[in-house]
Amino acid sequence: MLNFDLIIANQSLYYLPLKSFKDTVLEFYDLANDGCVFFATMMSENNYYFKHTKKYDAESGLYEVGLSARLNETSYIRFIKEKEDLKTIFAPFKTLHIGSYDPFYLDDYEGSCQHYIFIGQK
């Protein structure tokens, strides 16, 4: 069986329904070698997309997000309220660092693109 020393899940996990999300995190942990570094990002409620949520599905843990104008799409996204929540959702991994990034803020255009960062270790 192939195991990993580094796992990166950048801007991807927040599209998964709750059960799939939990299963994926456990699968990552199982695939990780001892000492493996795990890097993941999750979309913050400060993100522009959160302002366009239409409804929340408690079973899946996803919000329906409807965008018009430049981005004419409907997405389903799990948002994180506080960066400390990352400790809980990535609990199998020991927390090394929690932070955030916002690559740009277009105040008069779309708004924040804030994502939270989790770096953990098995």
Side-chain angles (χ1 to χ4, degrees):
M1 179 177 205
L2 185 62
N3 287 57
F4 299 94
D5 295 320
L6 175 65
I7 297 172
I8 299 173
N10 188 43
Q11 295 188 8
S12 56
L13 296 176
Y14 45 76
Y15 295 110
L16 296 175
L18 192 55
K19 170 126 178 46
S20 296
F21 178 88
K22 289 178 179 181
D23 290 347
T24 299
V25 172
L26 291 174
E27 183 73 16
F28 284 160
Y29 190 80
D30 288 344
L31 290 171
N33 288 324
D34 288 340
C36 174
V37 174
F38 173 63
F39 174 93
T41 62
M42 295 293 290
M43 201 177 288
S44 161
E45 285 187 4
N46 295 326
N47 191 290
Y48 165 76
Y49 277 48
F50 189 72
K51 295 175 187 170
H52 297 277
T53 57
K54 303 217 182 259
K55 61 183 174 181
Y56 176 72
D57 178 58
E59 184 177 338
S60 70
L62 300 175
Y63 286 88
E64 180 181 334
V65 179
L67 298 173
S68 57
R70 182 179 70 86
L71 298 172
N72 190 16
E73 66 183 23
T74 299
S75 297
Y76 298 88
I77 299 172
R78 179 174 185 199
F79 293 93
I80 302 299
K81 186 173 185 73
E82 303 289 334
K83 64 183 177 182
E84 293 299 314
D85 296 340
L86 298 176
K87 289 181 182 179
T88 302
I89 66 171
F90 296 121
F93 293 92
K94 174 186 166 195
T95 302
L96 298 178
H97 175 77
I98 293 177
S100 67
Y101 70 93
D102 195 341
F104 56 90
Y105 188 93
L106 302 172
D107 191 40
D108 61 340
Y109 187 57
E110 291 177 341
S112 174
C113 294
Q114 186 181 36
H115 284 67
Y116 291 129
I117 299 168
F118 176 86
I119 301 173
Q121 187 172 38
K122 180 173 181 179

